[in-house]
Amino acid sequence: DAFHQIIRDEGVLALWNGTFPSLLLVFNPAIQFMFYEGFKRKLLKKQLQLTSLDAFVIGAIAKAVATTLTYPLQTVQSILRFGRHRLNPENRTLGSLRNVLYLLQQRVRRFGLVGLYKGLEAKLLQTVLTAALMFLVYEKLTAATFTVMGLKHSRRH
């Protein structure tokens, strides 16, 4: 029934609203890991190994950076998914790059640059702690695995 109603009211392409921004959001974990590894390498130049607190803190910082950089796309994704948008009259294909840029532009016009980050605090609260814990567990599991296998864990990857 839901599929039928969406197709009838909004068209078949509405079933994929938010897909293009979702594809672009694969950059979020890539950015997160890039910053995590960069911070980790800098820290390991100054000390022999990463402490639990180090892994937790740099994991949190890396996720905060990645989330902040990709948050405008997450906002557009939500707008497209929940139908709170006005179509770009020049291009009716929802979720296309042109419409993503159009929605970003409309958001800036309506709320200013700060509008791109409206609600960021809640998103950071939702994601940063989880990512920090994930990196802490990752480092502990990696160290344990190397120990069990009898391998020397390299400081630099």
Side-chain angles (χ1 to χ4, degrees), residues 26-76:
V26 301
F27 287 114
N28 183 288
I31 293 166
Q32 174 184 331
F33 277 98
M34 179 186 73
F35 275 93
Y36 179 79
E37 287 297 325
F39 291 145
K40 180 177 157 182
R41 285 189 178 128
K42 278 191 185 270
L43 205 54
L44 288 175
K45 285 181 182 178
K46 297 176 185 171
Q47 60 194 51
L48 284 177
Q49 67 185 70
L50 212 58
T51 67
S52 296
L53 182 61
D54 293 336
F56 185 87
V57 170
I58 63 175
I61 293 169
K63 184 60 176 181
V65 170
T67 300
T68 301
L69 291 174
T70 60
Y71 191 73
L73 283 174
Q74 292 177 33
T75 303
V76 167

Side-chain angles (χ1 to χ4, degrees), residues 45-155:
K45 285 181 182 178
K46 297 176 185 171
Q47 60 194 51
L48 284 177
Q49 67 185 70
L50 212 58
T51 67
S52 296
L53 182 61
D54 293 336
F56 185 87
V57 170
I58 63 175
I61 293 169
K63 184 60 176 181
V65 170
T67 300
T68 301
L69 291 174
T70 60
Y71 191 73
L73 283 174
Q74 292 177 33
T75 303
V76 167
Q77 178 188 49
S78 295
I79 291 168
L80 288 169
R81 280 196 177 151
F82 297 107
R84 296 196 175 125
H85 58 276
R86 291 199 178 122
L87 289 175
N88 179 352
E90 300 166 13
N91 183 3
R92 296 186 59 84
T93 306
L94 293 174
S96 68
L97 178 59
R98 185 176 293 180
N99 265 306
V100 167
L101 295 174
Y102 175 80
L103 289 169
L104 287 170
Q105 180 185 41
Q106 291 304 105
R107 191 137 181 102
V108 169
R109 281 188 184 150
R110 187 168 179 202
F111 301 109
L113 282 176
V114 177
L116 295 176
Y117 294 94
K118 195 173 182 182
L120 177 63
E121 307 87 2
K123 188 66 174 176
L124 288 173
L125 284 173
Q126 175 194 9
T127 60
V128 169
L129 181 60
T130 304
L133 288 170
M134 180 199 68
F135 280 112
L136 173 59
V137 170
Y138 166 76
E139 290 297 338
K140 292 300 179 185
L141 285 175
T142 302
T145 302
F146 277 101
T147 301
V148 168
M149 294 176 72
L151 299 172
K152 188 176 180 182
H153 187 228
S154 173
R155 281 180 6 143

